[in-house]
Amino acid sequence: MEYDDLLNMGTELGYQLMFSGAEIYRVEESVYRLLTAYGLQPQVFAIPNCLIVSLNTPQGHPITQMRRIPSHGTDIELLERCNDLCRRLCREVPPVKQAKELVDGLSQNKRQYSTPVLLLGYVVAAGFFAAFFNGGVLDAVSAGICGLGVGFWMLYLGGKMGFNGFFQTLIGAAIASLLALLLTRIGVGENVDAITIGTLMVLVPGMALTNAMREIMAGDIISGVNRTAEAILTAAAISLGVVISLAIGM
C-alpha cells in the first residue's frame, strides 16, 4: 500500500480544513475517518497553527508528517467542499492516486474574490452596522466611507508594509475613529458614536471568539485558549487604536 501517498493525502485534507477555519475536532475526525477508510489506524493531533498526522506500517515502522498552518481567515465554501470530499472518499474509497488528485484539487479551485468586491463588503458592512446602532442615513454613508478606508488599509497597505495582525488591526481601528471624527466635524456625519462603532464592527473578532468557545466545549482546551487569546489581543488592538485616534483628534 502507498503509505506515503496516504499520509500526504490525509495531511493535505487536514491542512485545507484548518486553512478554511474548521474546528479542531472536525479536522482531527475528518483525517482519522479518511485514513481509517483505507485500513489504517492513524494518530492525528491539531492545534490552530500546527497539524501532525502519524501512522504505522504493517512492519511496525512509524511515519509522521507535520504541517504548519499560516495565518488565515474563514472560508465557508472551502470548508463545505472539504467536508463533502471527505464523506465521498470514506464512502467510495477510490484508488489512492485518484483520491490524492481530488484532495490536491481543493487548493487549486478555491474561489478568490477581487479587491473591489472585498472593499465593497467593508463599505456595506460598516454602513449597515452604523444604521443598526441608531445612526441616520448620513451616518451610514459616513460609516461606509470609513469602512472603505479601513478595508483599503487591511487588504492592501497593511499587508504590503509587513505589519502583523495586532498592529494592522490597531492602525485600522485608529483610521476608522479618525475618519469618523473628521466626517462628523465637516458635517457629513451626525452621530460620531454610531459611525465609529459601525466601522469597528468589521474588525471585531466574532468568529474567532465563537470558535474558541466551541473548542473549549469540545474539550480542545489548548486550541480554545489559543483562539481566546487571539480574540482578546485583537480586541485590545481595536481599543488601543481608538484611544490613540481620540487622543489625536480631541
Side-chain angles (χ1 to χ4, degrees):
M1 188 175 290
E2 301 162 312
Y3 296 103
D4 289 336
D5 287 340
L6 284 170
L7 182 61
N8 290 334
M9 178 179 67
T11 306
E12 179 64 22
L13 177 66
Y15 175 87
Q16 293 299 330
L17 281 166
M18 295 280 285
F19 199 77
S20 67
E23 306 90 335
I24 294 299
Y25 69 84
R26 185 192 300 271
V27 174
E28 293 181 342
E29 182 178 357
S30 297
V31 176
Y32 180 83
R33 286 180 178 273
L34 175 62
L35 295 180
T36 301
Y38 282 87
L40 303 175
Q41 291 296 320
Q43 297 291 326
V44 186
F45 176 76
I47 55 177
N49 59 353
C50 182
L51 172 66
I52 301 174
V53 183
S54 179
L55 55 88
N56 289 324
T57 65
Q59 293 76 26
H61 179 65
I63 52 177
T64 302
Q65 185 171 140
M66 180 180 71
R67 291 284 296 272
R68 181 173 178 82
I69 314 299
S71 299
H72 58 84
T74 301
D75 188 336
I76 300 298
E77 181 184 0
L78 177 60
L79 175 58
E80 185 64 25
R81 287 172 53 211
C82 290
N83 283 334
D84 288 342
L85 180 59
C86 182
R87 295 188 185 99
R88 174 186 169 188
L89 295 179
C90 291
R91 182 176 62 252
E92 299 177 0
V93 194
V96 175
K97 183 177 180 180
Q98 179 183 347
K100 189 174 183 299
E101 290 176 353
L102 291 172
V103 173
D104 291 340
L106 290 170
S107 61
Q108 301 170 2
N109 301 317
K110 291 189 293 187
R111 179 186 297 180
Q112 298 289 336
Y113 291 101
S114 64
T115 300
V117 172
L118 295 174
L119 287 175
L120 180 61
Y122 275 89
V123 171
V124 173
F128 274 102
F129 274 120
F132 178 80
F133 290 110
N134 297 322
V137 175
L138 291 177
D139 296 327
V141 173
S142 298
I145 297 173
C146 295
L148 180 62
V150 172
F152 187 76
W153 164 257
M154 297 295 290
L155 298 174
Y156 185 72
L157 287 180
K160 293 291 185 180
M161 297 176 69
F163 286 100
N164 60 31
F166 180 85
F167 287 103
Q168 195 170 354
T169 302
L170 187 153
I171 296 174
I175 291 173
S177 186
L178 283 172
L179 285 176
L181 288 171
L182 176 63
L183 291 172
T184 304
R185 288 182 179 179
I186 65 177
V188 178
E190 299 173 348
N191 187 341
V192 66
D193 292 338
I195 298 171
T196 304
I197 297 172
T199 308
L200 292 178
M201 287 299 293
V202 301
L203 300 174
V204 171
M207 183 67 73
L209 187 59
T210 300
N211 284 341
M213 296 300 103
R214 295 181 67 177
E215 303 285 9
I216 292 173
M217 288 187 288
D220 296 312
I221 305 300
I222 296 176
S223 301
V225 171
N226 186 306
R227 294 186 191 273
T228 301
E230 179 183 356
I232 292 173
L233 285 174
T234 303
I238 295 173
S239 302
L240 286 173
V242 173
V243 169
I244 292 172
S245 63
L246 289 177
I248 296 173
M250 294 296 185

